[in-house]
Amino acid sequence: MTSTPDQIIELHPDYCREYGSSLTAVVSEKEHVRQVVDVPPIKVFFTEYRSFSKQCSCGCKNTGEFPKNINTAISYGSNIEALVGYFYSRQYLPFARMKETFNDVFNIPISEGGIHCLLNRYAEKTTPVYQLIKQRVSNDLVIGADETGAKVDGEKHWIWTWQTTKATYITHSDTRGNATIEKEFPNGFTQSTLVSDGWRPQLTTPALHHQACLPHLLRRLNYLNEKYLNQQWSIKFQQVLYQAISLKKQEEFDSENIIEKRSLLLGNLNIY
């Protein structure tokens, strides 16, 4: 319940339910409070800009200028543009369902072409931020990379991801090959450790160091455990990885204790 309701409706009894006598002169005492949360009726809001002109004594005619984003007779505002971007990129609404939502819920007539136009307009505004994310990812010391398949018009495409602890850069491509990496990061990551699976385009990306993705590595160890039941190497290796992950999460240890425990882990594993 909120302490600052937008509307308060007071319910005072006007007469006694036992004898029917009037209570209008009796002072009321507050007994209970109940609240209802709702949204107001959604109504389209139109803003009209009117340009006027004035003529100077010198004969020059001066006309009031429209704001830069008001360049057609009728256009959609920034809130509708933001909603289109949100519905598309976060709620994953197809154009047809988004059109239906705007028409039925918001009473805003919009076509699928109009939605496409607003998305392009929104993308142009966010391009500088998108490039900034890309730059910050490429300059990080450790970068995780992966790609996953996605259907686009019934055809197999790929969603590529490069991620650090603070930023994630995502792009779409119709190929899973080196061309996508060369397009997005032509110089690779020569100052970074690239963490990835065993996919060849990832492994051949220029990087200071390459590191195997632990979930993929654990998955391969599971395969070895199931295929070769009588061996212990993969089981011990898997245990070391799980312990290392757990150690990483224990922030209460100081650096000396962490180094000592790491040494013990490697000492218990006869892999060298």
Side-chain angles (χ1 to χ4, degrees):
M1 299 176 70
T2 179
S3 59
T4 57
D6 300 290
Q7 181 184 26
I8 297 176
I9 299 177
E10 296 184 347
L11 307 172
H12 299 272
D14 296 324
Y15 59 89
C16 177
R17 66 172 179 237
E18 290 288 337
Y19 299 103
S21 55
S22 174
L23 299 175
T24 54
V26 180
V27 178
S28 299
E29 295 183 5
K30 187 168 69 173
E31 292 287 339
H32 307 287
V33 173
R34 297 175 182 177
Q35 292 185 350
V36 175
V37 182
D38 205 348
V39 294
I42 300 175
K43 184 178 181 298
V44 177
F45 190 86
F46 282 84
T47 300
E48 181 172 288
Y49 291 83
R50 298 177 178 179
S51 173
F52 293 86
S53 64
K54 294 181 179 180
Q55 187 166 347
C56 179
S57 59
C58 70
C60 177
K61 182 179 179 181
N62 303 273
T63 305
E65 296 184 357
F66 289 101
K68 290 184 178 180
N69 60 320
I70 310 299
N71 47 30
T72 60
I74 180 71
S75 60
Y76 296 108
S78 58
N79 287 339
I80 294 178
E81 180 183 294
L83 273 175
V84 167
Y86 172 74
F87 285 152
Y88 182 75
S89 62
R90 180 58 182 167
Q91 299 303 328
Y92 309 110
L93 286 182
F95 282 14
R97 288 178 57 191
M98 202 186 310
K99 170 188 172 183
E100 181 179 318
T101 301
F102 275 103
N103 279 265
D104 295 348
V105 178
F106 299 101
N107 195 29
I108 297 174
I110 189 171
S111 65
E112 293 185 30
I115 292 173
H116 189 274
C117 179
L118 288 178
L119 278 175
N120 286 340
R121 195 170 81 184
Y122 195 69
E124 290 177 0
K125 292 181 179 180
T126 57
T127 295
V129 178
Y130 194 63
Q131 294 303 317
L132 179 61
I133 293 173
K134 181 178 181 179
Q135 179 183 350
R136 290 187 176 179
V137 167
S138 63
N139 292 335
D140 208 291
L141 295 178
V142 180
I143 303 168
D146 201 3
E147 73 291 328
T148 186
K151 290 289 186 180
V152 178
D153 289 335
E155 297 182 359
K156 188 68 169 290
H157 285 222
W158 300 90
I159 304 299
W160 290 75
T161 303
W162 290 270
Q163 185 179 52
T164 70
T165 56
K166 296 182 179 180
T168 301
Y169 180 78
I170 301 174
T171 190
H172 155 264
S173 175
D174 59 357
T175 176
R176 198 186 180 194
N178 293 83
T180 303
I181 301 175
E182 293 172 355
K183 174 186 175 184
E184 298 297 333
F185 299 96
N187 298 323
F189 309 101
T190 55
Q191 303 299 319
S192 311
T193 296
L194 184 62
V195 183
S196 66
D197 57 14
W199 184 238
R200 183 175 179 81
Q202 301 281 16
L203 296 179
T204 55
T205 300
L208 182 63
H209 300 291
H210 283 272
Q211 178 179 313
C213 171
L214 290 186
H216 285 87
L217 193 55
L218 290 168
R219 191 184 308 166
R220 293 172 187 171
L221 292 172
N222 280 334
Y223 168 77
L224 294 176
N225 294 341
E226 295 172 0
K227 185 173 179 62
Y228 304 103
L229 300 178
N230 296 324
Q231 60 81 38
Q232 294 295 315
W233 181 88
S234 61
I235 295 177
K236 289 183 179 180
F237 192 11
Q238 196 173 46
Q239 291 173 349
V240 167
L241 292 180
Y242 279 123
Q243 291 172 21
I245 294 173
S246 177
L247 180 62
K248 174 67 176 177
K249 296 179 180 179
Q250 294 176 7
E251 297 179 352
E252 66 271 15
F253 291 103
D254 59 28
S255 58
E256 291 184 1
N257 285 335
I258 291 176
I259 293 175
E260 181 181 355
K261 286 180 176 291
R262 286 176 179 171
S263 300
L264 289 174
L265 286 176
L266 293 175
N268 293 333
L269 182 63
N270 297 319
I271 61 175
Y272 300 109

